[in-house]
Amino acid sequence: MRNIFLLRYYFAVASLIIAAISFGCGDGKREDNSGMQFRAAKGGKFYGGTYRVNEVGDLRSLDPVGINDVTSHHIAHQVYDLLVDFDENLHLKPELAESWEISPDGLTYTYHLRKGVKFHDNLCFRGGKGREFTAGDVKYSFTRVCDARTGTLGYDYFRGKVEGADAYYAATQAAANGGAPAVKEVTGFIVKDEYTFQIRLTKPFAPFENYAALGIAYIHPREAVEKYGRDFFQHPVGTGAFKFISWSPDRECILERNVNYWKTDADGNQFPYLDKIHFSFIKDEKSQIFEFRGGNLEECYRIPNEFFTSVVGEDKKLKGEYSKFQLLHLPAMSTQYYGMLTSSKEFSDVRVRRAFSMAVDRERIVKYVLKGQAYAAGTHGLVPPSMPDYQTENIKGYEFNPTTARALLAEAGYPNGVGLPPITLQLNNGGGRNLQIAEAAQAMIFENLGVKVSLTQVEFAKHLDEVDAGRAPFFRLGWVADYPDPENFLNLLYGALVPEDGKPSPINHTRYRNAEFDKIFAQALSTNDRAARMKLYMQAEQIAMNDAPMIIVFYDEDYRLLAPYVEGYRNNAMDRRTYEYVWINPVKL
Amino acid sequence: MTFFILRKILYAASVLLGVITTTFVITYVLPGDPARLMLGQRADPESVASLQRQLGLDRPLWEQYGSYIAKLAKGDMGRSFSTNRDVMGSILERFPATALLSLSAMALSTVIGILLGIIAAARPNSWLDTALMSTALLGISLPSFVVGTMFLLLFGVTLRWTPISGYIDTGWNHLLLPMITLALRPLSVIARVTRSSMLEALSQDYIRTARAKGASVPSILLRHALRNALNPVITTISSWLAGLLAGTVFIEYIFNWPGIGMVALDAILKLDYPMIQGTVQFTAIIFVLVNLLVDVTYAFLDPKVKLS
């Protein structure tokens, strides 16, 4: 009898394995480039090959209105086009809009659109052939961002800024359970003619010029949304250099060359060069670098901290068995800091905040904790050095100065920290280096000020809740730019964003207020002239830094490894990926 | 028998209802706001409130629970907050990967475990027995994430015998490391249980009789002793089988195996309530079903079980 049971068990196991295999098997072996046929292009370049790249994050959505994460943006950027995009130096450049102008009052943005651009061939179009893109598609795509029924994650960008956006959002919210919204359109999105699109703002807001280059602004056709409905997020259709082929969650996403792409290079070759992009989703950065080293990836973004010194030498060159690869590194558009809640008992006195800032030796943190994996110690302002047209080096932050720090603390009435309430530095968990840095800062504050700081690590969601609500007087955060305008960072110090009644303050977490800063910052926001705007931002930032609402710890640096045969990679400080320029050199394979 | 099965089904249903309720309450009290997390660090409070409304998070707990149960009764587990994918669809899409990993690991551990147990029992207290049982003890004691990482570094990175991560669609050898890592603990347990059960069987009178009749050693071990020693081994296998189908989270994460464990882990980190509830409940269903099946099979095989 027992043998019968065992036999049944094995039969069940065998059938389930077979079922699982037949259900789970994909389309064969992952391609590498060794046996591929490449086609010569002008200028010594080559067409062909598969580019294999990994994302450690999740691909959440390929519907532009649902894109607010890095991974989705990396992939969507290959499938869709924008009206304008950023070049390698993060200056705006024409894409689907050949040119654009801003009215002298800063209220109207006019985009002149490219003719003859076609959407990808897709079943959503009549006969499966992609039709021409027009201004109506821009209006449709932008309107969806303001439509509450789409589950938009990008409406914050247009709220209160675009004429009629709020009314439309409210109407679509009211119509969420069915029925037509009382407001039919966003009046500020205007189709002037088939190839001219206008946006009207409610008030001048100079950084708005960058919004057409955000992930939410990818241009997509109505037909695709209507055909795929709620599943449009996994059936994207755009005008980009690559067409979407498939997405298998947690495994892979495959894109294929768009043979009708409108862009050509200086030699007259049609972009893109690659036949295929294969995104994998290995979550662990260590596994990612192993896969890269083993020749299973063409690109490896970021080097795990514990591997860094064995991969990159002090001269910032690759070493050992990694020296055969290419290394790209540049300052990232992000800043790591410790915020001090200016409305709290602990940190309401500017002298205490300055003392804390001077007690932390950032250079040592960069050298010994980060092992050099940072662009620079945070001795200037919040805006990182990679910000184009902005002179971060002219902002005077805080250098390590324990003597002055002790004196300031004593002057504030807390000699050697005596009398200060207990202080806890709150961190989010995950990211091993955050804890290591915090432990170093904790030791430095104790050593130089005599103040005992305890550390607490909480889940990221809880961390944000606590910081927003003002329940974490001393907290760690990192800020990454959405677009290359200092406003993106200095908003964190803007008094107008602090709610009066003690409600959550999700942007200005330190609840810092300075009337002079606010006045200059507001003036900058309505100054369209970029150079003049930068000047105003710098003035405002210096005022804030003098008040030390945060300890700027360090500015990030991005490291990227490429296979030796990868050519044409265009790197930038915001890690915006544009694989249309990349080609594989078969000679180096 | 019908009454016995009905009783078991009723018991399984009540366990599932308990799991559904507990999961729901636990996700509700988790710290943090999913809407805030989805909208990111720059989220405006108005947008957060609006998204909370859309997700139904602004309603009282009992109301959310009621509508969740009503949907669940129709087989609708909702849509993921994070990816907008259908929860049930996402789980079913990944279940084959988890099933393949668990069942192959279980098959491996059953075959090797029983074999090692028999070998150890055939020469009790010999150096071979001591070596096998000490290794088995090590296999039980070492956490799977430690073993997995060690295997990955040794076989995947240093020796390059196996791939480091990925699924079988790019080669069968992707299954090797996660399967062996996952099999190690049940294999060790099965080996130890088989050994002790075999030793007990080998000390029985009928074995002495068989020896006296001149039966060969393989015949004594396999025909006479093993058949009678299998009962506790089968119990061990079935309890491990349910456990493995339910939990391969660490292994899936280490080897980037696209199964349910990976989804569950992501869902927890992102406060994706529907996905957390879906994965936990699906796992509970599998666990309960496997146990139900084992109970009923036992009742068929051994009437004593039914009576008790």
Side-chain angles (χ1 to χ4, degrees), chain A residues 325-341:
Chain A
F325 300 116
Q326 304 177 61
L327 173 69
L328 304 182
H329 65 96
L330 80 184
M333 189 74 83
S334 61
T335 305
Q336 303 290 331
Y337 67 91
Y338 295 140
M340 293 176 276
L341 186 67

Side-chain angles (χ1 to χ4, degrees), chain B residues 63-84:
Chain B
E63 210 180 295
Q64 288 184 46
Y65 180 71
S67 78
Y68 183 74
I69 292 287
K71 277 188 186 171
L72 204 60
K74 292 183 218 157
D76 179 7
M77 283 183 162
R79 283 198 167 237
S80 155
F81 285 173
S82 163
T83 63
N84 200 28

Side-chain angles (χ1 to χ4, degrees), chain A residues 1-3 5-6 8-10 13 16-17 20-21 23-26 28-30 58-60 68 148 151 153 156 159 169 173 230-231 233-234 247 249-251 281-284 287 290-291 293 321 459-462 464-465 468 477-482 488 504 506-507 509, chain B residues 31-33 36-47 50-51 53-54 79 82-85 92-94 96 100 103-104 106-107 110-111 152-153 157 160 164-165 167-170 172 227-228 230-231 234 237 241 253-254 256 258 262-263 266 269-271 297 300-301:
Chain A
M1 283 293 262
R2 285 173 196 122
N3 278 357
F5 179 80
L6 205 62
R8 280 184 187 171
Y9 164 70
Y10 282 123
V13 168
L16 275 166
I17 290 176
I21 293 162
F23 193 72
C25 267
K29 202 178 177 325
R30 191 189 296 176
D58 273 334
L59 172 54
R60 279 164 49 167
N68 72 346
L153 299 182
D156 272 350
R159 181 195 300 280
Y169 184 79
Q173 210 173 19
R230 289 181 83 171
D231 286 332
F233 76 96
Q234 49 184 340
W247 167 18
D250 281 343
R251 282 163 61 185
F281 301 102
I282 301 167
K283 303 272 191 285
D284 183 25
S287 298
F290 291 150
E291 291 281 7
R293 203 175 76 178
E321 60 180 314
E459 286 296 329
F460 189 63
K462 188 180 180 199
L464 279 186
D465 262 9
D468 286 2
L477 271 182
W479 204 254
V480 186
D482 282 336
N488 218 220
I507 296 181
H509 293 120
Chain B
D33 177 0
R36 173 81 173 87
L37 209 58
M38 281 169 77
L39 287 164
Q41 276 176 265
R42 288 167 183 79
D44 185 270
E46 271 184 67
S47 297
S50 166
L51 191 59
R53 263 197 303 280
Q54 270 181 48
R79 283 198 167 237
S82 163
T83 63
N84 200 28
R85 280 176 178 265
L92 291 177
E93 201 172 40
R94 287 163 168 90
L100 172 66
L103 295 176
S104 54
M106 205 56 230
T110 306
V111 173
L152 192 142
L153 285 171
V157 180
R160 298 192 185 180
I164 297 155
S165 62
Y167 194 51
I168 52 162
D169 52 356
T170 50
W172 269 100
R227 288 177 68 173
N228 291 291
L230 272 181
N231 209 8
I234 290 170
I237 291 169
L241 181 66
Y253 181 79
I254 292 168
N256 208 53
M262 284 267 272
V263 184
D266 280 343
L269 292 175
K270 288 181 188 137
L271 293 183
T297 317
F300 268 116
L301 294 174

Side-chain angles (χ1 to χ4, degrees), chain A residues 298-314:
Chain A
E298 268 69 49
E299 176 181 344
C300 175
Y301 175 62
R302 287 195 177 145
I303 300 166
N305 210 28
E306 54 271 49
F307 285 48
F308 189 72
T309 48
S310 58
V311 178
V312 182
E314 280 186 22

Side-chain angles (χ1 to χ4, degrees), chain A residues 193-214:
Chain A
D193 60 51
E194 259 191 81
Y195 300 105
T196 312
F197 178 71
Q198 249 179 14
I199 302 178
R200 269 210 311 266
L201 302 189
T202 51
K203 57 181 183 233
F205 181 67
F208 193 84
E209 63 178 351
N210 298 292
Y211 283 19
L214 291 173

